[in-house]
Amino acid sequence: MSEACKLDLADIKWNLGRFGKLHVRHGKGARGSGPRERMVPLINGADRTLRWFIEDVWGQFDEDHTRPGAPLFPSERKYADGSSRRVGDDALRNSLAAAAKAHLPAWADTLTPHVLRHFCASELYLGGLDLLGIQEVLGHSWIATTMRYIHVQQTQVEDAWVSGQQRAAKRLEGLMG
């Protein structure tokens, strides 16, 4: 949450990579290692969602997209000059809790930002992103930490085996036919 709260509009680098990247300047550091800066690709539709947010929502909180230090996620609270403050992590946590209670009542007491981080890592893995890519996205120093974030279905091994067999059969057909 703290990483998201500290992002500025200028941290979006639309022209980097295929989808654009987000410059996480204040990345989370573990066990006193300090913040880890990184560039996170705007994959999996994040680029489209971010564009929608900036074009259709952001202006309802602040009018100056060019102001240095303009927060990516502004608060309804304003400074004396009329510009928006940064949203706080409590506001984001409370909003997630309220949304979970309203739309996913069975998860209301379980769904937290950290649980979403685990879910995201697992979905990226199931979608084909390798462990090193997920490590980079999450900002982990150690691959072992990333591995603890990934949770797969109990049928993962069987599903991978069936998929491999299907690929092998198609290759064999191509060689024979």
Side-chain angles (χ1 to χ4, degrees):
M1 292 311 264
S2 63
E3 288 180 358
C5 292
K6 293 176 184 173
L7 291 169
D8 289 347
L9 274 175
D11 290 327
I12 304 169
K13 309 298 183 188
W14 296 114
N15 58 339
L16 293 181
R18 288 187 192 164
F19 309 102
K21 295 190 180 196
L22 194 58
H23 184 199
V24 179
R25 293 174 293 117
H26 304 285
K28 181 179 167 189
R31 296 186 180 96
S33 65
R36 278 192 287 284
E37 192 172 333
R38 65 189 187 281
M39 298 296 279
V40 178
L42 297 172
I43 56 174
N44 207 19
D47 56 335
R48 293 186 307 274
T49 303
L50 208 46
R51 277 194 195 278
W52 163 80
F53 176 77
I54 292 166
E55 292 171 3
D56 294 347
V57 178
W58 194 91
Q60 296 178 32
F61 293 91
D62 203 329
E63 296 176 359
D64 187 1
H65 284 78
T66 62
R67 179 172 52 87
L72 177 57
F73 299 113
S75 169
E76 293 175 340
R77 295 188 174 140
K78 306 281 186 192
Y79 288 110
D81 67 0
S83 62
S84 288
R85 296 176 182 254
R86 293 183 183 282
V87 71
D89 59 355
D90 284 345
L92 294 178
R93 286 177 200 284
N94 293 340
S95 295
L96 176 60
K101 185 176 181 181
H103 302 288
L104 299 167
W107 284 83
D109 295 330
T110 309
L111 193 60
T112 66
H114 196 75
V115 167
L116 287 178
R117 191 168 159 89
H118 280 258
F119 177 79
C120 180
S122 299
E123 288 296 304
L124 289 172
Y125 183 74
L126 292 172
L129 191 59
D130 64 25
L131 289 175
L132 294 175
I134 297 168
Q135 177 186 13
E136 181 66 25
V137 168
L138 296 179
H140 292 152
S141 293
W142 304 99
I143 197 73
T145 304
T146 305
M147 290 171 66
R148 286 194 303 267
Y149 273 68
I150 296 170
H151 310 282
V152 295
Q153 299 292 328
Q154 291 181 355
T155 62
Q156 173 72 19
V157 173
E158 292 92 344
D159 295 344
W161 185 82
V162 167
S163 178
Q165 293 298 307
Q166 290 169 343
R167 286 191 308 273
K170 285 182 184 176
R171 272 193 302 249
L172 186 58
E173 285 175 19
L175 292 173
M176 305 290 266

